[in-house]
C-alpha cells in the first residue's frame, strides 16, 4: 500500500501525516480520531477526524441488485402468497443466481459494468437495445441474451431481471413488481437523488470516537464535527454532475466538495480507460492540510 502524505498547512511541527490507502472496511460512514508517527506530546495538538465511506459504485448502488433489492410490504406479501416462500428466500433462490452467474462480473460480455446495468433494462426486444460496448453479448429474444463461455465457446443464455420476474411469478405479478422496483430505482437510487444525500451524509457533524491502539478500544470523546479527511471507496462519481448542494445548479462531486473546503485526489483503479474514471477518492480540508508527497508509483492519481 502506497501512502498519500499530507502535512499541516498551518503551524509546525512540519512532519508529514501519512494516510495509508486501505481496502473497504465498511458499507457505511465510519469516523474516528486517527494519527500515525506522532510523539505522545504532540498528539493532542494534531488530532484530526477521518471518515471512511463506501459509497457503492453506480452499477452496484441499485435497487435491482438482489442483495440490495427492496419492495413495499404489499408487493412482498403478494410474492410470498403466490410462491409460498418468504421474500428473502425467494430472491435468493430465483433472482440472485441469475444475476450472480451471468451479470455481476461477466468478462465475456465485453463490458461487465455495462452488463450490470443492462440487468435491469426496461427494454430488451431486439439487438438494437444492446449497448454497443457489449461486444460479447447477443440478443436471443424478449428479455433474453446470450454470451460465449470463455472455456468452451458454448453459447450461454441468460434472462434480464424483467425476464426473471416475468417468468417466475404468475398472473402479471412479475411485470408489476418490476415496474415497482424501477420506480424505487428512479426516486431513491438514481445518482441525481442519491448523490446529494451522500454529500450531506459526509458533511453532517457527527459524534467522534477516540481510538486507543494500545487498549484496542474506542470511546465517544464528546466532540461533534465534520471530517477533516474523507476516504471514499468505490468512488465513481468523480466527473458526474448533479445538484449536490441543492442550490439549483449542477456541478461535479469534486467541485461540490471543493466549495465546502476540501481538496482531493482520485486514485484510479487498475482498469484504466474507464469513463467516468473511478477508484479511491481522498479529500482533505485545505485549511488544515496540503499535499506533501504522492508516490510516483501511484500513476493513477489525478
Amino acid at each position: 500500500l502506497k501512502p498519500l502524505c499530507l502535512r499541516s498547512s498551518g503551524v509546525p511541527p512540519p512532519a508529514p501525516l501519512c494516510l495509508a490507502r486501505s481496502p473497504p472496511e465498511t458499507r457505511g460512514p465510519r469516523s474516528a480520531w486517527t494519527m500515525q508517527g506522532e510523539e505522545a506530546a504532540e498528539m493532542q495538538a494534531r488530532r484530526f477526524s477521518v471518515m471512511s465511506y463506501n459509497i457503492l459504485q453506480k452499477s452496484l448502488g441499485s435497487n435491482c441488485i438482489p442483495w440490495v433489492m427492496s419492495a413495499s410490504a404489499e408487493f412482498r406479501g403478494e410474492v410470498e402468497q403466490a410462491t409460498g416462500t418468504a421474500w428473502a428466500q425467494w430472491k435468493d433462490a430465483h433472482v440472485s443466481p441469475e444475476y450472480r452467474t451471468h451479470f455481476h462480473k461477466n468478462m465475456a460480455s465485453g463490458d461487465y459494468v455495462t452488463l450490470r446495468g443492462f440487468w435491469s433494462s426496461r427494454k430488451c426486444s431486439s439487438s438494437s437495445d444492446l449497448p454497443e460496448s457489449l461486444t460479447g453479448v447477443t440478443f436471443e429474444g424478449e428479455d433474453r441474451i446470450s454470451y460465449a463461455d470463455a472455456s468452451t465457446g458454448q453459447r450461454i443464455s441468460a434472462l434480464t431481471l424483467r425476464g426473471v420476474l416475468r417468468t417466475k411469478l404468475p398472473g402479471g405479478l412479475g411485470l408489476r413488481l418490476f415496474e415497482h422496483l424501477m420506480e424505487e430505482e428512479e426516486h431513491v437510487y438514481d445518482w441525481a437523488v442519491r448523490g446529494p444525500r451522500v454529500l450531506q451524509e459526509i458533511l453532517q457533524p457527527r459524534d467522534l470516537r477516540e481510538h486507543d491502539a494500545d487498549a484496542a478500544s474506542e470511546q465517544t470523546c464528546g466532540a461533534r464535527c465534520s471530517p477533516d479527511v474523507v476516504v471514499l471507496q468505490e468512488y465513481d462519481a468523480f466527473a458526474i454532475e448533479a445538484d449536490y448542494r441543492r442550490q439549483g445548479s449542477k456541478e461535479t462531486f469534486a467541485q461540490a466538495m471543493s466549495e465546502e473546503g476540501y481538496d482531493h485526489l482520485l486514485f484510479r483503479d487498475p482498469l484504466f480507460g474507464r469513463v467516468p474514471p473511478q477508484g479511491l477518492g481522498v479529500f482533505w480540508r485545505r485549511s488544515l492540510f496540503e499535499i506533501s508527497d504522492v508516490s510516483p508509483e501511484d500513476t493513477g492519481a489525478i
Side-chain angles (χ1 to χ4, degrees), residues 19-46:
L19 306 176
R21 296 167 57 194
S22 59
E25 296 180 352
T26 176
R27 291 286 168 179
R30 183 181 182 188
S31 301
W33 293 112
T34 59
M35 181 66 67
Q36 296 182 16
E38 294 297 317
E39 298 295 333
E42 298 174 353
M43 290 187 69
Q44 184 66 30
R46 303 193 65 190

Side-chain angles (χ1 to χ4, degrees), residues 39-57:
E39 298 295 333
E42 298 174 353
M43 290 187 69
Q44 184 66 30
R46 303 193 65 190
R47 283 176 167 173
F48 62 97
S49 60
V50 177
M51 169 185 281
S52 174
Y53 193 2
N54 189 325
I55 66 173
L56 287 177
Q57 60 183 306

Side-chain angles (χ1 to χ4, degrees), residues 1-301:
L1 298 177
K2 300 298 186 294
L4 164 65
C5 292
L6 305 177
R7 66 187 176 195
S8 170
S9 59
V11 297
L17 308 176
C18 294
L19 306 176
R21 296 167 57 194
S22 59
E25 296 180 352
T26 176
R27 291 286 168 179
R30 183 181 182 188
S31 301
W33 293 112
T34 59
M35 181 66 67
Q36 296 182 16
E38 294 297 317
E39 298 295 333
E42 298 174 353
M43 290 187 69
Q44 184 66 30
R46 303 193 65 190
R47 283 176 167 173
F48 62 97
S49 60
V50 177
M51 169 185 281
S52 174
Y53 193 2
N54 189 325
I55 66 173
L56 287 177
Q57 60 183 306
K58 184 178 180 181
S59 62
L60 293 176
S62 166
N63 194 41
C64 298
I65 304 300
W67 51 87
V68 177
M69 185 183 296
S70 62
S72 68
E74 178 183 354
F75 271 105
R76 294 197 306 269
E78 285 194 60
V79 170
E80 292 174 354
Q81 183 176 5
T83 64
T85 306
W87 166 254
Q89 284 69 42
W90 184 83
K91 283 195 305 175
D92 290 343
H94 298 285
V95 183
S96 291
E98 191 78 8
Y99 172 78
R100 288 182 181 275
T101 301
H102 306 296
F103 290 88
H104 183 56
K105 192 169 286 190
N106 187 333
M107 299 301 183
S109 67
D111 184 346
Y112 78 86
V113 173
T114 296
L115 188 63
R116 282 178 183 170
F118 195 72
W119 159 251
S120 59
S121 175
R122 270 197 161 106
K123 186 180 181 184
C124 178
S125 57
S126 70
S127 58
S128 63
D129 295 325
L130 294 177
E132 292 183 0
S133 61
L134 297 181
T135 55
V137 174
T138 301
F139 171 76
E140 294 291 339
E142 184 180 6
D143 300 326
R144 185 178 292 276
I145 61 172
S146 69
Y147 59 94
D149 182 271
S151 301
T152 67
Q154 180 180 359
R155 301 301 297 182
I156 299 175
S157 181
L159 286 170
T160 64
L161 174 62
R162 184 178 184 274
V164 171
L165 299 180
R166 183 169 56 84
T167 57
K168 296 293 184 180
L169 294 172
L173 174 58
L175 291 178
R176 290 193 296 110
L177 175 59
F178 177 77
E179 290 302 322
H180 170 68
L181 296 175
M182 294 306 293
E183 288 178 6
E184 292 293 304
E185 180 80 2
E186 294 169 358
H187 297 128
V188 178
Y189 289 85
D190 186 81
W191 186 252
V193 178
R194 190 165 71 92
R197 292 175 178 168
V198 168
L199 181 71
Q200 294 305 311
E201 182 68 29
I202 291 170
L203 296 178
Q204 69 171 325
R206 62 183 70 246
D207 293 327
L208 299 181
R209 299 189 302 273
E210 186 171 34
H211 178 70
D212 186 334
D214 294 330
S217 64
E218 290 183 351
Q219 61 181 358
T220 301
C221 58
R224 286 181 62 84
C225 69
S226 299
D228 300 315
V229 178
V230 179
V231 182
L232 301 181
Q233 294 96 34
E234 297 192 26
Y235 174 57
D236 60 354
F238 180 76
I240 300 177
E241 293 189 341
D243 186 11
Y244 293 104
R245 294 182 294 143
R246 295 170 177 163
Q247 296 186 351
S249 59
K250 290 187 176 182
E251 59 194 344
T252 66
F253 191 88
Q255 288 170 339
M257 288 290 284
S258 179
E259 290 297 321
E260 296 295 334
Y262 293 87
D263 288 334
H264 75 280
L265 279 175
L266 168 66
F267 291 88
R268 290 180 291 191
D269 66 19
L271 298 177
F272 289 101
R274 282 189 177 182
V275 179
Q278 57 189 273
L280 183 72
V282 181
F283 298 80
W284 59 91
R285 202 181 294 277
R286 71 172 66 93
S287 62
L288 297 179
F289 301 107
E290 61 186 22
I291 294 180
S292 173
D293 180 54
V294 178
S295 169
E297 295 181 22
D298 279 321
T299 55

